[in-house]
Amino acid sequence: MTDLAKLELDLMTALGGATTSAEVEAIRVAALGKTGTVSGLLKGMGAMSPDERRERGPLINGLRDRLTAALTARKTELEAAELDAKLLAERVDLTLPAVPRRRGSVHPTMQVMDEITALFAELGFAVAEGPDIEDDFHNFTALNFPPRHPAREMHDTFFLTPDPETGERKVLRTHTSPVQVRTMRVTPDRPPAGWIAAGREPPIRIIAPGRTFRKDSDATHTPMFHQVEGLVIDKGVHMGHLKWTLETFVARFFEMDAIEARFRPHHFPFTEPSAEMDIRCDRSGGELKLNQGDSWMEILGCGMVHPNVLRACGLDPDEWQGFAFGMGVDRLAMLKYGIPDLRPMFEADTRWLSHYGFSPFVAPNLATGLS
């Protein structure tokens, strides 16, 4: 038996004994790879004499062609067998129930709204609501806005078409403060009770969550947003009560033992004195850390209810005092849960909601934790 015949017999025998496509590939590399036995014979043809090349060339090329065909056939055969075995082993029983998928999430704004409601309910506050479309009296006049205040202008507020009979222009409420007015007013012409805030006699302790509308649009402002405002009316109420209430709320909201806060003088038409509440924070490194660093971040506005507001609601400011506060729910959600941009919160993208959303089966409460 010649050397070529013995080499071919050895390769074909090894190929016939291969049981996997990986073993076939190993034989191919050993024979036809750059340093393979058959490849070496093909390279050696250049050193042969013309007579030797004429005699052995066809034999070597024939060996290469037969081996290539055998390798391809054996590899195809084994790959088909491997695929059949894989399909048999990975067969899915379609009679089994599907893996359950989470369907739906609670929006971060609604989650934070529920968290705020749970916290103030613990402090004895009730929830009051009012209409999204308001009249000038409840949205501006009763809240001590002067006649030419910028908020009464078209560039700040969404006005509806004037009533053809009365000429009155309704507005999309710019804050939830009208709910405070509707809660304090106890008059014969008060709108009927229902989901709209019903007037009641003091003492009063309510929060008013809801949608509000202003002509703003950027990374931290949208034309529609959500607010929660609070109102306390009683005898002997002072700024100390306001500070304790808000410091207690903010600490519990961010789930901390205490929060370092300061109150800066400010101006709101409906409160006097007025203040903005800041909390100490560190914003370095792209992460918000509370009670650290030298930065201060404004988080809400507040103040003592202006005597003119009390009078407009039929209450005697010499007998009743109170405080009010308001905060943006969407921005609180951004701060607490690390949401960088306000605008996607209103874009109805289910991918965004699946990332930032909350389980609908775990309601915020103080016993098991807000978030």
Side-chain angles (χ1 to χ4, degrees):
M1 181 180 294
T2 65
D3 292 340
L4 289 180
K6 184 177 185 307
L7 177 60
E8 182 174 359
L9 178 61
D10 291 342
L11 290 173
M12 293 300 183
T13 301
L15 186 59
T19 57
T20 66
S21 57
E23 292 179 4
V24 172
E25 179 63 15
I27 295 171
R28 185 196 69 78
V29 172
L32 299 176
K34 287 185 178 181
T35 59
T37 54
V38 177
S39 299
L41 293 174
L42 291 169
K43 291 178 182 178
M45 289 173 61
M48 296 179 182
S49 65
D51 292 338
E52 288 179 316
R53 192 181 306 120
R54 190 180 304 109
E55 178 184 352
R56 293 182 59 83
L59 298 177
I60 296 173
N61 286 324
L63 170 61
R64 179 196 59 189
D65 294 342
R66 290 191 298 275
L67 181 59
T68 300
L71 285 167
T72 301
R74 185 60 175 163
K75 186 176 181 180
T76 302
E77 178 186 354
L78 291 175
E79 285 180 342
E82 290 171 359
L83 179 60
D84 291 340
K86 186 176 181 181
L87 292 174
L88 184 63
E90 297 181 358
R91 185 173 55 187
V92 176
D93 187 350
L94 298 179
T95 64
L96 293 175
V99 177
R101 294 177 59 190
R102 184 173 128 180
R103 300 180 67 86
S105 301
V106 175
H107 195 283
T109 295
M110 297 299 103
Q111 169 74 16
V112 169
M113 195 91 77
D114 289 343
E115 292 179 16
I116 294 173
T117 300
L119 287 170
F120 279 108
E122 183 73 9
L123 297 175
F125 284 71
V127 175
E129 295 180 308
D132 291 348
I133 299 176
E134 274 291 2
D135 54 40
D136 181 88
F137 174 80
H138 289 92
N139 199 78
F140 296 122
T141 303
L143 292 167
N144 201 39
F145 281 83
R148 297 191 179 276
H149 192 278
R152 292 177 177 263
E153 302 299 326
M154 295 288 291
H155 59 74
D156 271 3
T157 301
F158 292 102
F159 285 90
L160 276 64
T161 303
D163 186 289
E165 297 182 1
T166 64
E168 179 186 21
R169 288 193 310 171
K170 297 279 189 177
V171 301
L172 297 180
R173 64 180 181 185
T174 58
H175 42 194
T176 55
S177 299
V179 180
Q180 300 179 25
V181 176
R182 291 179 178 275
T183 301
M184 287 188 283
R185 292 190 77 214
V186 183
T187 61
D189 60 345
R190 176 178 55 79
W195 69 273
I196 296 176
R200 65 189 75 176
E201 296 286 352
I204 296 170
R205 189 180 299 179
I206 60 123
I207 58 170
R211 294 173 295 185
T212 53
F213 309 86
R214 295 180 193 172
K215 290 187 176 181
D216 280 327
S217 184
D218 55 43
T220 57
H221 298 83
T222 55
M224 186 197 81
F225 55 102
H226 298 81
Q227 276 190 340
V228 169
E229 298 197 11
L231 173 71
V232 172
I233 301 293
D234 208 335
K235 297 181 179 180
V237 174
H238 53 74
M239 281 290 292
H241 297 130
L242 170 62
K243 290 181 64 178
W244 179 90
T245 299
L246 294 180
E247 288 174 351
T248 299
F249 160 72
V250 173
R252 292 185 179 180
F253 176 74
F254 287 108
E255 301 179 71
M256 306 179 70
D257 293 334
I259 201 82
E260 189 172 352
R262 70 180 184 184
F263 291 80
R264 290 181 292 104
H266 197 67
H267 170 72
F268 299 110
F270 33 83
T271 53
E272 181 60 38
S274 302
E276 285 189 335
M277 181 182 182
D278 301 335
I279 56 177
R280 182 182 291 278
C281 64
D282 180 4
R283 306 188 194 194
S284 62
E287 183 179 356
L288 180 67
K289 301 176 182 178
L290 302 182
N291 287 347
Q292 300 181 31
D294 298 323
S295 297
W296 293 89
M297 178 174 58
E298 182 267 324
I299 195 169
L300 57 84
C302 59
M304 301 300 295
V305 179
H306 199 290
N308 290 344
V309 176
L310 294 173
R311 292 189 188 97
C313 296
L315 299 177
D316 184 356
D318 294 327
E319 179 182 5
W320 300 103
Q321 294 81 45
F323 63 78
F325 54 86
M327 63 197 79
V329 180
D330 311 294
R331 297 185 70 181
L332 283 178
M334 292 175 67
L335 290 175
K336 186 171 182 179
Y337 296 112
I339 301 172
D341 194 320
L342 186 66
R343 289 166 291 192
M345 300 178 76
F346 299 89
E347 292 176 354
D349 188 335
T350 56
R351 297 168 300 176
W352 182 93
L353 186 57
S354 65
H355 177 75
Y356 286 107
F358 293 81
S359 170
F361 301 106
V362 183
N365 65 83
L366 301 183
T368 60
L370 294 179
S371 56

